[in-house]
Amino acid sequence: MTSGQRAGLARAITLVESARAEHRAKASALVQELMPRTGGAIRIGITGVPGVGKSTLIDALGMMLIEAGHRVAVLAIDPSSTRTGGAILGDKTRMARLANSPDAFIRPSPSAGSLGGVTARTREALLLVEAAGYSVVIVETVGVGQSEVAVAEMVDTFVALMLPGAGDELQGIKKGLIERADIIAVNKADGSARDAARQAAAELLSAVKILASDPPPEVLTMSAATGDGLDLLWRTIDTHRNGLEASGALAARRRAQGVIWMRDMVADGLRHYLAQHAGDAVKAMEAAVADGTLAPSAAAASILETLP
Ligand code: GDP
């Protein structure tokens, strides 16, 4: 892809990220028009706590895939960016090799609006990069409950990165991550941490057998830094997705995701409408509920009555 085409793609994503009404209308029309050219990419989600090695992995995996002939786009959903306006994820300096590759496109998390808004923008960006011909899309997020659900709901294969030791295995169980993850990869299985990583993987494996969704996630160890196990991770992603495709589950999963997307957008649109047209009434009801003078159900009914 030429730098001009990449700049065009970046502008299109800026359009879908805009909250202005006239931009929203144009963005929806653009996404609708491009729909027939979307859906062709392998959509991968990657989550994990800060420091687990997400950007190191995405840099290494991305370069491996580019060498195999893929074009790779990286998008990020950063729940903290809605508060700080900063972009911790999808940071180009943390993916140095990919950032310099003409076959990669990296987009940091949109920073405006609620998590729901950020999620909606990222879903549209995902379709735009697919229409632009990227064959692999990686959506990155930090290990925080809601953003993980959001990413799991827009990808084909969801990978949870874990640290060896540090009680991380148990954290994963608590968060219900095991039920959502398709693959659990214990990273930093190198040097003196190799045994701890194997141990963590063994514990996770027995945990997934007990808690298992059906089918349970694959568990493996790897090192994003040395590249050990990267190949196995890719084969596991590929096998998972091929399995979904062969059984028809991929199409079903994507259709269900489309419906979830639509519902999220309706809820988001309603919130937006109410903020614009009934902002004072909403604030008054919130105050009444907060000081206990009005039941939440009555307050909600009264807000809904303001809808045309
Ligand atoms: P992120 O916050 O999840 O994106 O984590 P980073 O990719 O920025 O990695 C955090 C730190 O861990 C960096 O200093 C990396 O060099 C280091 N790191 C990442 N992957 C590995 C690995 O596989 N082995 C080791 N030993 N260090 C790693």
Side-chain angles (χ1 to χ4, degrees), residues 48-57 89 94 140 161 187-190 222-226:
V49 296
V52 69
K54 293 180 295 301
S55 31
T56 309
L57 167 63
L89 299 179
R94 290 158 67 242
E140 177 192 20
L161 280 189
N187 191 34
K188 306 199 183 186
D190 49 43
M222 58 163 300
S223 167
T226 66

Side-chain angles (χ1 to χ4, degrees), residues 280-294 299:
D280 290 343
V282 172
K283 279 208 188 83
M285 290 301 128
E286 282 174 358
V289 171
D291 68 20
T293 52
L294 197 60

Side-chain angles (χ1 to χ4, degrees), residues 226-251:
T226 66
D228 259 4
L230 202 60
D231 211 42
L232 174 65
L233 174 65
W234 173 245
R235 270 185 281 129
T236 310
I237 292 171
D238 203 38
T239 303
H240 173 259
R241 193 178 178 284
N242 287 341
L244 287 182
E245 200 161 18
S247 69
L250 183 68

